Amino acid sequence: MAQFFIINHSKKKNELMSKTLFSSNFSESIVSEKCNLKKCLKSINTGLLLACIICSETNKLIGIITDSDIRKALLKGASLEDSVLTWMNADPALAYKQSTLEDLCSL
């Protein structure tokens, strides 16, 4: 299942989005690949993205996980102590700053 973020292109909303993404709470949404599901839930709760970005020790994106993904994992028998690597989306759809609207629609 692909997961991605859509940014509204109206000028006012883009300005608001830029301020939000670079606030100090944005860093709360980035977690280490060594995290468990409980740590991810805490990060989702305090961050602004409603998802966790999982990065390697070299700060490379390796996946994302949402609270919905964690709830589904728990219903399948996961523990809050399980590694995020087991349940994250390791192949999220990505959009880049230079992406066109056509690029975004093809995700």
Side-chain angles (χ1 to χ4, degrees):
M1 172 191 324
Q3 296 173 338
F4 55 93
F5 299 97
I6 298 173
I7 298 173
N8 190 319
H9 288 285
S10 79
K11 187 173 182 179
K12 282 187 177 181
K13 289 185 179 177
N14 276 342
E15 290 171 4
L16 179 62
M17 181 64 74
S18 295
K19 289 177 187 173
T20 302
L21 289 178
F22 295 104
S23 74
S24 60
N25 283 345
F26 179 68
S27 63
E28 294 290 326
S29 298
I30 301 171
V31 298
S32 163
E33 63 190 318
K34 296 178 182 178
C35 282
N36 60 26
L37 295 179
K38 185 175 183 177
K39 167 69 174 150
C40 288
L41 278 176
K42 287 180 181 180
S43 293
I44 290 169
N45 196 45
T46 58
L48 292 173
L49 293 181
L50 304 177
C52 263
I53 300 168
I54 297 95
C55 290
S56 68
E57 290 180 5
T58 58
N59 288 327
K60 180 180 176 187
L61 171 71
I62 58 173
I64 64 170
I65 193 164
T66 65
D67 62 339
S68 176
D69 294 330
I70 296 171
R71 285 193 311 271
K72 289 174 187 175
L74 293 171
L75 289 171
K76 291 180 181 178
S79 159
L80 288 176
E81 300 306 317
D82 282 0
S83 169
V84 68
L85 296 175
T86 305
W87 300 100
M88 71 179 187
N89 177 355
D91 190 27
L94 301 174
Y96 299 93
K97 190 174 184 177
Q98 67 273 16
S99 296
T100 65
L101 186 56
E102 185 177 310
D103 294 337
L104 296 174
C105 289
S106 69
L107 292 174

